[in-house]
């Protein structure tokens, strides 16, 4: 007579993911692989057999945050494996936290999985491989309705303030058919918004000489414009195009070719362009690529083709050698450029960055003053742009539904096409239907605005 065998409970892995969306995608891939190996995912420290901390090492402040997160995980759980960008500084991590079980670098998926196997070996026995495993689209750390689509790793630039190439290596583009297959699966699984990310989206395919692949019976190059055009052909379950949002786009000439796709409704009218500064002297010192582009004229041309295109960017103030004249040049440029969304950062030396050796570092108090001045200008521009939308109707994607208030009214939070998740503004809605759900795309009448956000009601 045979006896039934009960499989032991799966070992559980916790995850703390820090840094940029590209690191979040790494975390998703690691967890997907571990899930396929029979591990379960723990939502808290207490239930985890081991905790992974995916670190950020871009700035010293980010490194401090990463070390603090490692310390918290050790205090709460005790069994910690470190990965990510700061993993390149294993000695510093072990000096601060000698208890860590293992340290691996950025996107070193195999090494992370091996470390988990070593310190929390799978417990479900030799037959677990016979169980159908989840697909790569099954584990997401973002809400179901939006997904990050990473098209490449690394970067070929040598910007003076950045150490990303040292952390993540040179540009390594994914096959275009693999990217499109992943995008198609994500949309089929319910994704309504694809956020295309990399270190330099405009350079996609340069390392492979834009190698073509066959997709849906036609040849498609590994090139940003070809990829954008194909992503614009995707359709959600209701037959509409998903929102496709391009991030980290350097303003190379071929970027002009994607603006008509936005005007046609095939791409979300949104470009995230890391300008970093406007002064030619500062850009040269930063060793920024594409700084010769006549950006202001091109912005005007883009808006003529697609009036609703939203351009977001980030700028560094207080870079070594930045004079008052350089900073005033930036302020004047911003007044003329009228960017829709702007973030600003005070220059921060990063260990290993070439900018540290430059002369004439800007005093901290002057950095603070310039930061305040640039934010004052950009917030005024933002407020005016949002005020001009009052009375218009715009599409909004729903992120969250609130609870009914004392009168039974339900509010909701969403985003316009000018708003990427986590970094831009929001659209706050009143009196929504109880049947509304996250991921719905609705038409909203804009009733009010403040510096960063819009307020309205669904038509």
């Amino acid at each position: 007579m045979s006896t039934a065998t009960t499989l032991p409970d799966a070992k559980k892995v916790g995850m703390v993911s820090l840094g940029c969306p590209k690191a979040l995608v790494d975390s998703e891939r690691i967890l997907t692989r571990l899930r396929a190996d029979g591990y379960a995912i723990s939502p808290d420290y207490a239930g985890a057999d081991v905790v992974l901390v995916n670190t950020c090492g871009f700035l010293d402040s980010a490194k401090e945050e990463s070390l603090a997160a490692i310390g918290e995980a050790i205090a709460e759980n005790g069994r910690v494996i470190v990965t990510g960008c700061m993993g390149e500084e294993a000695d510093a991590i072990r000096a601060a936290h000698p208890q860590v079980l293992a340290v691996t670098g950025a996107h070193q998926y195999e090494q992370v999985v091996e470390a988990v196997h070593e310190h929390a070996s799978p417990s479900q026995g030799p037959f677990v491989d016979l169980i159908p495993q989840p697909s790569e689209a099954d584990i997401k750390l973002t809400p179901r309705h939006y997904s990050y689509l990473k098209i490449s790793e690394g970067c070929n630039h040598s910007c003076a303030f950045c150490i990303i190439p040292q952390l993540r290596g040179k540009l390594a583009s994914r096959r275009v058919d693999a990217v499109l297959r992943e995008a198609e699966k994500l949309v089929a699984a319910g994704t309504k918004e694809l956020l295309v990310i990399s270190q330099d989206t405009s350079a996609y395919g340069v390392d492979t000489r834009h190698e073509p692949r066959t997709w849906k019976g036609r040849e498609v190059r590994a090139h940003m414009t070809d990829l954008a055009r194909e992503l614009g052909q995707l359709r959600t379950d209701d037959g509409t195009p998903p929102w496709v949002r391009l991030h980290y786009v350097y303003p190379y000439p071929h970027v002009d070719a994607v603006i008509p796709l936005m005007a046609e409704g095939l791409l979300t009218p949104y470009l995230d362009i890391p300008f970093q500064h406007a002064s030619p002297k500062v850009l040269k010192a930063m060793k920024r690529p594409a700084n010769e582009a006549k950006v202001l004229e091109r912005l005007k041309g883009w808006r003529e083709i697609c009036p609703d295109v939203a351009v977001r960017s980030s700028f560094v103030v207080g870079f070594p050698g930045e004079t008052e004249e350089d900073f005033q040049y930036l302020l004047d440029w911003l007044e003329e450029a009228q960017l829709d969304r702007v973030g600003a950062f005070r220059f921060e030396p990063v260990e290993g960055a070439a900018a540290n050796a430059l002369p004439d570092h800007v005093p901290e108090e002057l950095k603070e003053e310039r930061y305040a001045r640039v934010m004052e200008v950009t917030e005024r521009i933002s407020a005016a742009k949002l005020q001009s939308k009052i009375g218009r109707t715009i599409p909004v994607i729903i992120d969250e539904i609130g609870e009914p208030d004392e009168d039974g009214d339900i509010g909701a939070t969403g985003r316009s096409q000018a708003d990427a998740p986590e970094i831009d503004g929001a659209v706050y809605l009143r009196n929504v239907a109880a049947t509304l759900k996250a991921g719905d795309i609705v038409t909203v009448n804009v009733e009010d605005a403040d510096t960063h956000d819009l307020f309205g009601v669904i038509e």
Side-chain angles (χ1 to χ4, degrees):
M1 187 177 82
S2 63
T3 58
T5 300
T6 302
L7 285 174
D9 290 339
K11 292 286 181 68
K12 292 184 178 181
V13 177
M15 171 68 83
V16 177
S17 189
L18 305 173
C20 63
K22 294 176 285 294
L24 189 69
V25 172
D26 290 343
S27 296
E28 291 177 339
R29 290 179 178 174
I30 292 166
L31 291 178
T32 295
R33 173 65 187 275
L34 290 171
R35 176 80 169 271
D37 286 353
Y39 291 88
I41 311 304
S42 174
D44 53 40
Y45 291 121
D49 294 284
V50 66
V51 175
L52 301 178
V53 180
N54 192 358
T55 58
C56 179
F58 184 54
L59 297 172
D60 287 348
S61 55
K63 293 177 184 178
E64 291 172 8
E65 181 185 5
S66 294
L67 290 173
I70 295 167
E72 179 181 328
I74 289 172
E76 295 291 335
N77 181 277
R79 298 177 55 77
V80 176
I81 293 171
V82 177
T83 187
C85 286
M86 198 184 172
E88 303 295 332
E89 300 183 35
D91 290 345
I93 291 170
R94 292 190 182 280
H97 300 295
Q99 309 97 311
V100 296
L101 301 175
V103 181
T104 71
H107 58 88
Q108 294 181 350
Y109 309 126
E110 295 298 326
Q111 292 92 322
V112 176
V113 171
E114 288 173 7
V116 173
H117 278 260
E118 178 183 350
H119 295 285
S121 58
S123 58
Q124 292 189 323
F127 304 112
V128 70
D129 287 340
L130 302 178
I131 303 171
Q133 301 298 334
S135 72
E136 286 201 6
D138 280 352
I139 293 186
K140 290 175 84 268
L141 300 179
T142 56
R144 182 171 179 262
H145 62 280
Y146 68 80
S147 302
Y148 292 103
L149 182 67
K150 185 157 65 169
I151 63 175
S152 65
E153 281 289 358
C155 182
N156 286 344
H157 303 308
S158 300
C159 300
F161 55 82
C162 182
I163 58 170
I164 290 296
Q166 297 161 238
L167 298 177
R168 290 182 170 261
K170 292 291 189 181
L171 177 70
S173 301
R174 296 177 61 196
R175 286 175 44 157
V176 68
D177 54 340
V179 173
L180 291 169
R181 191 174 299 112
E182 180 183 354
E184 188 176 62
K185 287 181 178 179
L186 287 168
V187 172
T191 291
K192 300 293 183 68
E193 180 180 17
L194 290 166
L195 300 108
V196 179
I197 58 171
S198 66
Q199 298 296 341
D200 180 357
T201 295
S202 303
Y204 173 62
V206 166
D207 56 311
T208 63
R209 299 189 178 185
H210 304 299
E211 179 184 26
R213 294 282 176 174
T214 300
W215 174 254
K216 305 291 185 182
R218 55 188 177 273
E219 192 173 85
V220 180
R221 295 179 305 155
H223 191 283
M224 186 185 82
T225 55
D226 288 38
L227 177 63
R229 193 175 298 111
E230 293 299 324
L231 291 174
Q233 304 304 312
L234 295 171
R235 294 295 180 269
T236 63
D237 55 6
D238 61 3
T240 59
W243 288 12
V244 178
R245 199 180 291 278
L246 300 179
H247 288 270
Y248 311 106
V249 177
Y250 286 81
Y252 302 138
H254 62 260
V255 174
D256 295 350
V258 303
I259 306 302
L261 299 177
M262 297 178 182
E264 295 170 28
L266 300 179
L267 288 181
T268 303
Y270 178 99
L271 279 175
D272 171 17
I273 302 179
F275 289 123
Q276 306 294 14
H277 213 282
S279 162
K281 190 193 84 177
V282 175
L283 287 169
K284 184 177 180 180
M286 287 180 167
K287 297 183 179 179
R288 293 292 291 166
N291 60 30
E292 76 284 352
K294 296 180 179 178
V295 175
L296 291 173
E297 290 91 336
R298 293 176 70 204
L299 282 170
K300 181 179 178 182
W302 295 346
R303 288 164 174 156
E304 288 173 354
I305 296 169
C306 183
D308 286 333
V309 64
V311 180
R312 96 164 315 275
S313 191
S314 56
F315 296 86
V316 176
V317 299
F319 189 80
E322 181 192 60
T323 64
E324 180 60 28
E325 182 181 10
D326 294 322
F327 182 70
Q328 189 59 51
Y329 189 107
L330 171 60
L331 295 183
D332 294 342
W333 189 92
L334 287 168
E335 293 281 9
E336 191 167 352
Q338 291 286 300
L339 302 181
D340 299 83
R341 300 294 194 190
V342 172
F345 303 91
R346 309 156 190 85
F347 171 75
E348 184 178 320
V350 181
E351 186 176 348
N356 301 347
L358 292 175
D360 303 321
H361 278 242
V362 177
E364 292 300 320
E365 61 270 19
L366 188 52
K367 288 182 193 176
E368 290 296 331
E369 180 199 333
R370 289 177 179 172
Y371 174 80
R373 287 163 66 192
V374 78
M375 293 310 297
E376 181 182 359
V377 169
T378 58
E379 287 176 357
R380 172 169 46 78
I381 291 171
S382 174
K385 280 182 165 282
L386 295 182
Q387 283 289 322
S388 71
K389 295 184 179 182
I390 295 175
R392 290 182 55 188
T393 55
I394 60 172
V396 169
I397 189 167
I398 302 300
D399 284 332
E400 187 176 358
I401 316 297
E403 295 294 329
D405 63 16
E406 61 273 13
D407 297 322
D409 294 332
I410 303 173
T413 304
R415 289 174 290 107
S416 76
Q417 291 186 314
D419 301 307
E422 306 294 333
I423 58 174
D424 293 322
V427 182
Y428 296 99
L429 305 177
R430 62 178 180 84
N431 298 347
V432 304
T435 54
L436 190 71
K437 58 185 183 299
D440 285 349
I441 296 176
V442 296
T443 300
V444 168
N445 179 31
V446 180
E447 298 176 312
D448 201 358
D450 60 19
T451 302
H452 301 292
D453 305 314
L454 296 173
F455 303 83
V457 64
I458 297 174
E459 279 202 325

